[in-house]
Amino acid sequence: MPIRIIGMIGVTPPASDTQLVVIEGALDPDYVITFAQAHEAAGFDLALVGYSSSSAEGFLVAQHAAAHTDRLGYMIAHRPGFVAPTLMARKIATFDQITRGRVAIHIITGKSDAEQQGDGDYSPKTERYERATEYLALMRQTWSSSEPFDFDGRFYRVNGAASDVRPYQDPHPPLFFGGASEGALTMGAEHCDIYAIYGEPLATTAERIADFRARAAKFGRTPGFNGSFRPIIADTEEAAWAKADHILAGMAGAKGWARQENITTPVDNAGRRIYDMALRQDVYDSCLWMGVAKATGALGNVSCLVGTPQQVAAAIVEYYKLGVTSILIRGFDPFNDTLEFGKELIPRIREGVAEVDAA
């Protein structure tokens, strides 16, 4: 099947060519348009619109970008708990109808307790996953029910819930999620469509895919998988590694998220996995580099693929062979890397996938 290629748009021009995070910062509406149009021109299928407890509101950012692009879809990060699930179901369905199916949702329960508290949520992480599970059940029921319904759960209760708007996509926009805790895996297995995994070695990626497929099968579901990477490419392998060294030098003391200034170690299980791998080894497989993960404490998507476009594309195709049919790629020089990826990397990824499918 065709591979889905996802990027990420920020809301303000980067301060340097070694930027770790693009979610936060003052909103520049013109830059949002330019960045989204760059993704569309480069051949991306979707662009992630992130979330933090201080960032611009993602649905409005995505709607603004969608109004100025023709084909590009938007994967909007959403944290269950701040908006009623029935209202969110209608909001997503409305966006899906207006854009004719150009939306996906990435479910996240919070980066850290401190960061989550910036929006007034003091629920512990375990409870947030339990709440999200109920939230997604109610949201999906809102999309699928043709008649008003009642719902009586631990966190949510509705009487006569109904929606006049249905999603454009059938049965609804794709629901992504990430995480490695038991709570995350249980929630995702029951309610989400695509499991998003930080870039790990091929061997452990295969193990995680097999484990999650078994979990989802208990609910009669067949999930998809997304891998997240930071490609560092150049015309030669030597030049790519020189670029990697430059990026690493710019990461000294980098924390990324505004509420992580005093954090030095991962804040979630997925990050701990990456950090442990980074401490054990710098390079895995052909070109999976963990240098930035080690330097920053793996506080986000920092698994890198280093090499020529041909080498990095070949590495991504190996993940596709394992069952990863969706790839999120973004660079440390966000805007310029988006353009660069479209020249050779994205076409080579698609060509490699097509060859695998043909074989």
Side-chain angles (χ1 to χ4, degrees):
M1 66 174 66
I3 191 169
R4 180 194 284 117
I5 299 178
I6 307 171
M8 183 174 186
I9 59 172
V11 297
T12 191
S16 72
D17 63 351
T18 58
Q19 186 163 338
L20 191 61
V21 169
V22 301
I23 296 173
E24 298 174 328
L27 176 64
D28 183 333
D30 291 335
Y31 180 72
V32 170
I33 295 172
T34 303
F35 206 178
Q37 290 175 342
H39 276 80
E40 187 162 78
F44 285 87
D45 298 303
L46 291 166
L48 171 63
V49 181
Y51 183 115
S52 83
S53 60
S54 66
S55 59
E57 202 285 314
F59 276 85
L60 294 178
V61 170
Q63 186 67 59
H64 177 61
H68 294 87
T69 50
D70 299 317
R71 178 194 56 80
L72 184 69
Y74 298 89
M75 183 168 76
I76 306 171
H78 175 62
R79 295 188 183 180
F82 298 110
V83 177
T86 48
L87 173 58
M88 181 51 59
R90 300 197 304 275
K91 184 172 182 175
I92 293 169
T94 302
F95 193 108
D96 202 34
Q97 285 287 349
I98 288 173
T99 62
R100 294 296 190 267
R102 290 196 288 148
V103 66
I105 304 299
H106 184 52
I107 300 297
I108 50 178
T109 63
K111 188 66 180 172
S112 67
D113 288 346
E115 206 268 336
Q116 191 79 354
Q117 289 164 11
D119 272 333
D121 184 10
Y122 287 79
S123 304
K125 190 168 187 176
T126 300
E127 184 175 293
R128 293 202 300 268
Y129 279 119
E130 294 170 351
R131 181 180 63 191
T133 298
E134 192 172 295
Y135 186 101
L136 292 172
L138 184 48
M139 196 164 69
R140 291 174 64 200
Q141 188 171 354
T142 304
W143 286 328
S144 63
S145 296
S146 58
E147 300 291 338
F149 66 91
D150 299 338
F151 186 99
D152 190 0
R154 175 186 171 192
F155 299 96
Y156 299 101
R157 179 184 178 187
V158 299
N159 291 310
S163 177
D164 296 331
V165 59
R166 295 278 177 262
Y168 182 86
Q169 299 174 75
D170 185 24
H172 53 71
L175 297 176
F176 288 67
F177 88 102
S181 69
E182 192 62 30
L185 296 170
T186 299
M187 175 199 75
E190 184 175 1
H191 292 295
C192 295
D193 306 302
I194 298 140
Y195 184 19
I197 306 171
Y198 287 150
E200 293 190 5
L202 291 166
T204 61
T205 299
E207 292 170 358
R208 297 189 73 186
I209 287 174
D211 174 77
F212 190 73
R213 279 177 174 159
R215 291 172 181 268
K218 295 177 182 178
F219 296 97
R221 312 184 73 240
T222 303
F225 297 89
N226 179 83
S228 297
F229 300 94
R230 299 274 194 140
I232 301 173
I233 59 173
D235 291 338
T236 67
E237 186 175 356
E238 292 76 13
W241 282 107
K243 183 187 288 189
D245 289 339
H246 169 74
I247 291 169
L248 185 60
M251 291 295 113
K255 301 300 178 189
W257 299 62
R259 294 181 185 274
Q260 293 183 167
E261 296 93 342
N262 299 319
I263 298 174
T264 57
T265 57
V267 295
D268 54 27
N269 288 331
R272 291 187 190 98
R273 288 179 60 92
I274 296 299
Y275 191 55
D276 288 345
M277 292 172 185
L279 293 178
R280 290 197 300 268
Q281 195 169 319
D282 285 335
V283 180
Y284 290 84
D285 302 321
S286 62
C287 60
L288 178 64
W289 180 53
M290 297 296 192
V292 174
K294 184 190 295 185
T296 61
L299 292 170
N301 174 19
V302 287
S303 302
C304 303
L305 293 170
V306 184
T308 65
Q310 183 175 6
Q311 290 171 324
V312 172
I316 289 173
V317 170
E318 291 304 310
Y319 287 93
Y320 177 79
K321 292 177 182 177
L322 296 179
V324 175
T325 57
S326 178
I327 295 289
L328 192 153
I329 54 173
R330 57 191 180 102
F332 294 99
D333 185 1
F335 184 87
N336 291 323
D337 283 343
T338 295
L339 299 176
E340 188 65 25
F341 293 165
K343 293 177 183 177
E344 191 173 353
L345 178 59
I346 291 176
R348 284 188 177 274
I349 292 171
R350 296 198 188 279
E351 290 169 6
V353 166
E355 289 174 3
V356 171
D357 289 346

